[in-house]
């Protein structure tokens, strides 16, 4: 992990300036000794390529301090995408009105979701 808690807070603050939320931050090393920082963003409206480019440009200056002098950092800013799993209440709220496939781990709570008449 190459990002400090302060780096993560900076990323969240910059992303929020664009009216977006940080969904996930993945930072890891690669086989060539470079580091990879992948920032997944999400918003109430679909996130377009222009918005992703603006966020990436805004993160360019802080990213210069990530890693070490001999370690190159590859920055990637992306959206969740329509095929990403719905995992948090925010994801479900933002996907309202879209078709979704739901797989239950067990049927114990199924009646809570579809009601007794649906069985």
């Amino acid at each position: 992990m190459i990002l400090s808690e302060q780096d993560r807070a900076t990323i969240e603050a910059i992303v929020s300036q664009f009216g977006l939320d940080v969904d996930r931050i993945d930072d890891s090393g690669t086989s060539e000794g470079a580091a990879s920082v992948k920032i997944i963003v999400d918003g109430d409206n679909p996130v377009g390529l222009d918005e992703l480019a603006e966020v990436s440009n805004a993160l360019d200056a802080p990213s210069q301090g990530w890693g070490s002098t001999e370690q190159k950092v590859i920055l990637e800013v992306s959206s969740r995408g329509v095929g990403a799993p719905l995992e948090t209440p925010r994801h479900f709220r933002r996907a309202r009105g879209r078709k979704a496939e739901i797989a239950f781990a067990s049927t114990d709570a199924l009646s809570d979701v579809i009601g007794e008449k649906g069985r």
Side-chain angles (χ1 to χ4, degrees):
M1 198 148 70
I2 64 166
L3 296 176
S4 68
E5 288 304 315
Q6 183 178 353
D7 293 331
R8 291 173 181 276
T10 299
I11 291 168
E12 291 199 18
I14 290 171
V15 169
S16 71
Q17 292 174 359
F18 294 91
L20 301 171
D21 297 311
V22 172
D23 193 68
R24 189 173 75 243
I25 300 173
D26 296 329
D27 61 328
S28 61
T30 63
S31 59
E32 293 89 38
S36 172
V37 176
K38 184 174 184 177
I39 302 166
I40 309 297
V41 299
D42 192 18
D44 287 333
N45 297 312
V47 182
L49 292 176
D50 291 338
E51 291 171 292
L52 294 174
E54 290 173 358
V55 172
S56 181
N57 287 336
L59 289 168
D60 186 53
S63 73
Q64 301 304 313
W66 303 340
S68 62
T69 54
E70 55 278 335
Q71 184 180 42
K72 179 173 79 171
V73 174
I74 300 166
L75 173 64
E76 179 183 345
V77 179
S78 184
S79 66
R80 285 181 34 82
V82 296
L86 305 177
E87 300 170 325
T88 67
R90 180 180 73 220
H91 296 157
F92 281 91
R93 180 178 48 82
R94 290 177 174 167
R96 187 171 289 145
R98 295 194 346 224
K99 193 175 193 177
E101 181 179 315
I102 299 175
F104 292 94
S106 77
T107 58
D108 295 341
L110 192 56
S111 63
D112 294 341
V113 176
I114 61 173
E116 286 298 321
K117 293 180 182 178
R119 283 192 148 184

